Amino acid sequence: MAYKITSMFGQQEGFRIKGHSGIDFAMKDGEELKAVESGVAEVIDYGGTNCGLTVKIKFNGGDDQLIYGHLSDTTVHTGDIIHKGDLIGYSGHSGHVYSSSGGNGAHLHLGLKENGQFQDPSQYIQDIQNMNNPNYVQHVTEKMPEVHDKIDILPDSSSIFEQVGELFNTIQLIDYASFVQVIQQSFQLLFVHASFLYDIIACIF
């Protein structure tokens, strides 16, 4: 469902004393409003002035905020963690609204503030237009990388000695000090005997 845009950012219609601080989307009362950013909610009710019942989503560490104005009701409270795609409230005509068509003026005012200054929220137009599309992605999940063992242990425990023996063979390719080579050879001899003892014990039991 596409919502008609009735006022763009910076537009100054006859009833405004300065350029528009956001973008207005024509909506009937009660349209579900979904978050198009993840962040922390702040709910403010301006009563019959300004944007009326408003939900702000603070993101980027709280420096930026996305503003949903003129709501009829909210589903969140100040301090709630909001994820992209979450239901945050319903469209309405609270606050100060103007209707050139003679209706109740129901619409969504979408505003964007960065570092305390109003900015053009046009980058979110497609997100708002698709927020109630069944294919709209509500939550982004990241798959944690899987950790794999670097050394495979075979069911036959005797193969452990073979793997360690191969490891020492590899180490021997490195030109270490002679005393280190003596230690390596001693361990090799130990593992050979251990393997032999393993076979004897296995035969006994």
Side-chain angles (χ1 to χ4, degrees), residues 3-72:
Y3 303 106
K4 180 181 178 181
I5 296 177
T6 59
S7 182
M8 291 296 293
F9 177 79
Q11 189 171 344
Q12 189 169 354
E13 298 92 332
F15 60 89
R16 299 186 192 279
I17 60 174
K18 59 181 179 179
H20 193 202
S21 63
I23 297 176
D24 286 347
F25 297 83
M27 295 183 185
K28 62 183 181 181
D29 283 319
E31 288 280 348
E32 292 188 344
L33 302 176
K34 307 289 179 59
V36 295
E37 277 287 1
S38 298
V40 179
E42 180 182 4
V43 180
I44 301 176
D45 192 349
Y46 295 100
T49 65
N50 204 328
C51 286
L53 184 57
T54 301
V55 172
K56 298 180 180 181
I57 301 175
K58 296 184 175 181
F59 60 103
N60 286 342
D63 292 333
D64 303 334
Q65 53 184 263
L66 205 57
I67 303 163
Y68 291 69
H70 304 298
L71 279 61
S72 60

Side-chain angles (χ1 to χ4, degrees), residues 59-93:
F59 60 103
N60 286 342
D63 292 333
D64 303 334
Q65 53 184 263
L66 205 57
I67 303 163
Y68 291 69
H70 304 298
L71 279 61
S72 60
D73 197 6
T74 67
T75 58
V76 296
H77 302 87
T78 296
D80 287 352
I81 302 299
I82 304 296
H83 298 94
K84 185 176 181 180
D86 285 349
L87 175 66
I88 61 172
Y90 301 91
S91 62
H93 58 277

Side-chain angles (χ1 to χ4, degrees), residues 56-156:
K56 298 180 180 181
I57 301 175
K58 296 184 175 181
F59 60 103
N60 286 342
D63 292 333
D64 303 334
Q65 53 184 263
L66 205 57
I67 303 163
Y68 291 69
H70 304 298
L71 279 61
S72 60
D73 197 6
T74 67
T75 58
V76 296
H77 302 87
T78 296
D80 287 352
I81 302 299
I82 304 296
H83 298 94
K84 185 176 181 180
D86 285 349
L87 175 66
I88 61 172
Y90 301 91
S91 62
H93 58 277
S94 61
H96 179 70
V97 296
Y98 175 85
S99 174
S100 59
S101 63
N104 61 15
H107 68 281
L108 168 66
H109 168 88
L110 183 73
L112 173 64
K113 262 189 174 181
E114 295 179 349
N115 297 316
Q117 300 297 318
F118 284 108
Q119 304 294 331
D120 186 355
S122 292
Q123 60 184 303
Y124 296 104
I125 288 177
Q126 290 304 313
D127 290 325
I128 293 295
Q129 298 289 21
N130 290 285
M131 65 183 174
N132 288 315
N133 185 323
N135 295 323
Y136 182 74
V137 179
Q138 295 190 11
H139 296 281
V140 179
T141 57
E142 295 181 358
K143 182 180 179 182
M144 296 297 293
E146 296 179 357
V147 178
H148 298 281
D149 292 333
K150 293 184 177 180
I151 300 178
D152 293 328
I153 303 300
L154 301 178
D156 183 3

